[in-house]
Amino acid sequence: MMTTVGFAHPNSSLLFFRNKSTDKSQSSRPKWVSSSSYTSETFYRTDNVQVTQKDDLSGISEGIRKRNKRVFFLDVSPLCYEGNKPSSHAFGHWVSLFFSQVSLTDPVIAVIDGEEGNKRRRELLPSYKSHRRSPNPGRYTKRPHQFVDEVLTKCNVPVVRIQGHEADDVVATLMEQAVQRGYRAVIASPDKDFKQLISENVQIVIPLADLRRWSFYTLKHYHDQYNCDPQSDLSFRCIMGDEVDGVPGIQQMVPAFGRKTAMKLVRKHGSLESLLSAAAERTVGRPYAQEALTKYADYLRRNYQVLSLKRDVRVQIQEEWLVERDTSNDSEVLSSFFSTLHGRY
């Protein structure tokens, strides 16, 4: 018999539940995707510490052992969609692949948007994510996210939801805490916002719909794709905007200010604030770029506030979330979930 225990986090609405008991052709593969990206061992191969069967593990420090360990942060809400449509099948597909091929027994922390999570950003920018509907389980009869919580908790995954905060900010906060403890963090999400967090200790693993599989995206992939550091990613997106999230770019006012200009300036100055400060004191580019950076500086700074991920959410990572995940329930739970879905369609 399985018992479920809930832990309430002080001053928040966090609930932690823990149970006791055929690819398409490579032509559709993004340039940064390599066959080795699909393995769950990518992080271990980037570590300088090598352990063989003959090594005496008792002689390895706890710090090194932790650096060898990964913790996954599962951004749940985007997985509940197929395209722009809510889909329980999509959630089941991606989670089953994630457990069987990616995270394996590594600890997984699932994060879901809290109620009114967009409120602060929408106060700054009313168009922010204004087109998105609240996810629902389609024709599945349970309340939105109830089926998600049920599947994940039965698979021994803690579920974190903080009222008034988006999942992105909660992930960023918990990720930083895990890295500070010596862990490597892997963020499982299709959301490009997380690229701003990539480092030697932080990777992303992305669900590729065309290939129907997960793929790791690392610091090396980022460098190869953009030829700059991830710290510049946020600044670049503040200038260009984010159509998916409803954040207009500077091209709305200055059509000539394109991607090449934005990338060149960001690479040279390193950050949006450095660029704006320089533009306030001297000429940094062609007349149209110079005028745009001085005239619309407040506009760009607002974009930065909207697009930057916060790391100060009032949530604390728990030691019990970082233990090896018990996978014994996975097959039964997921099979039951799919059987229920098939019976209702």
Side-chain angles (χ1 to χ4, degrees):
M1 180 176 179
M2 213 163 8
T3 59
T4 303
V5 181
F7 298 87
H9 188 274
N11 304 316
S12 78
S13 62
L14 178 152
L15 283 179
F16 164 62
F17 297 94
R18 185 170 181 81
N19 296 314
K20 298 296 184 183
S21 52
T22 51
D23 293 338
K24 293 185 179 182
S25 67
Q26 295 188 7
S27 61
S28 61
R29 177 180 297 176
K31 292 182 179 179
W32 49 265
V33 176
S34 63
S35 58
S36 62
S37 299
Y38 298 122
T39 73
S40 62
E41 299 298 319
T42 304
F43 237 155
Y44 295 142
R45 292 174 182 171
T46 64
D47 201 292
N48 291 327
V49 179
Q50 296 182 351
V51 180
T52 68
Q53 291 180 344
K54 296 181 180 179
D55 288 327
D56 181 5
L57 294 181
S58 63
I60 300 178
S61 68
E62 180 65 20
I64 292 177
R65 275 188 262 182
K66 282 191 174 182
R67 284 197 297 274
N68 277 327
K69 291 184 178 180
R70 300 179 299 183
V71 55
F72 285 84
F73 295 93
L74 185 64
D75 182 20
V76 175
S77 296
L79 304 181
C80 298
Y81 287 85
E82 187 167 1
N84 294 322
K85 297 180 180 179
S87 171
S88 301
H89 282 284
F91 167 77
H93 168 75
W94 290 118
V95 167
S96 61
L97 284 181
F98 180 73
F99 287 160
S100 64
Q101 298 179 5
V102 181
S103 64
L104 305 180
T105 61
D106 288 315
V108 178
I109 300 171
V111 184
I112 299 176
D113 290 328
E115 293 183 12
E116 297 187 335
N118 296 339
K119 184 177 180 180
R120 181 183 62 82
R121 288 184 170 95
R122 283 184 176 170
E123 288 174 350
L124 291 169
L125 182 63
S127 63
Y128 178 73
K129 293 186 178 180
S130 59
H131 62 292
R132 297 193 180 183
R133 296 175 293 172
S134 299
N136 65 70
R139 294 168 62 183
Y140 197 68
T141 58
K142 296 188 177 181
R143 297 193 319 270
H145 284 319
Q146 183 178 348
F147 74 103
V148 172
D149 289 355
E150 182 177 295
V151 169
L152 292 173
T153 55
K154 286 182 178 179
C155 290
N156 297 302
V157 174
V159 178
V160 182
R161 183 190 288 108
I162 307 293
Q163 183 175 357
H165 291 280
E166 293 186 73
D168 297 9
D169 297 321
V170 178
V171 169
T173 299
L174 294 173
M175 174 277 301
E176 186 165 87
Q177 293 174 14
V179 171
Q180 289 174 351
R181 293 184 182 212
Y183 286 83
R184 303 291 186 93
V186 185
I187 300 169
S189 174
D191 194 338
K192 58 184 175 296
D193 291 349
F194 288 120
K195 286 186 177 180
Q196 63 188 267
L197 302 178
I198 292 175
S199 70
E200 290 184 356
N201 295 315
V202 181
Q203 294 181 351
I204 301 175
V205 61
I206 302 172
L208 299 179
D210 289 343
L211 299 176
R212 298 187 64 79
R213 68 197 306 175
W214 291 87
S215 181
F216 280 87
Y217 188 91
T218 69
L219 181 61
K220 182 181 184 303
H221 291 129
Y222 190 92
H223 286 158
D224 291 344
Q225 186 175 9
Y226 296 107
N227 193 29
C228 65
D229 292 327
Q231 289 78 3
S232 301
D233 184 80
L234 174 59
S235 298
F236 176 73
R237 290 178 56 229
C238 290
I239 297 172
M240 297 310 300
D242 188 326
E243 184 177 355
V244 174
D245 284 348
V247 180
I250 204 167
Q251 286 180 309
Q252 298 281 342
M253 288 77 68
V254 187
F257 205 130
R259 296 179 62 86
K260 289 184 178 179
T261 300
M263 182 59 74
K264 179 180 178 180
L265 290 171
V266 168
R267 284 174 179 165
K268 181 177 179 180
H269 295 274
S271 71
L272 177 65
E273 191 55 44
S274 296
L275 173 59
L276 294 178
S277 297
E281 297 176 358
R282 64 183 188 276
T283 301
V284 297
R286 294 184 178 183
Y288 70 85
Q290 177 68 26
E291 181 181 2
L293 292 171
T294 53
K295 184 177 181 179
Y296 299 108
D298 290 342
Y299 176 94
L300 294 172
R301 288 189 173 101
R302 183 207 59 187
N303 279 1
Y304 189 92
Q305 286 184 279
V306 171
L307 292 173
S308 61
L309 299 183
K310 310 305 177 187
R311 308 190 193 191
D312 58 357
V313 179
R314 296 186 65 180
V315 58
Q316 188 64 41
I317 201 165
Q318 305 296 310
E319 283 293 338
E320 57 263 37
W321 300 355
L322 300 174
V323 301
E324 183 175 289
R325 188 175 69 87
D326 179 0
T327 65
S328 59
N329 296 329
D330 289 6
S331 179
E332 180 180 352
V333 170
L334 291 169
S335 294
S336 175
F337 172 69
F338 281 117
S339 294
T340 302
L341 288 182
H342 292 153
R344 295 185 179 277
Y345 277 80

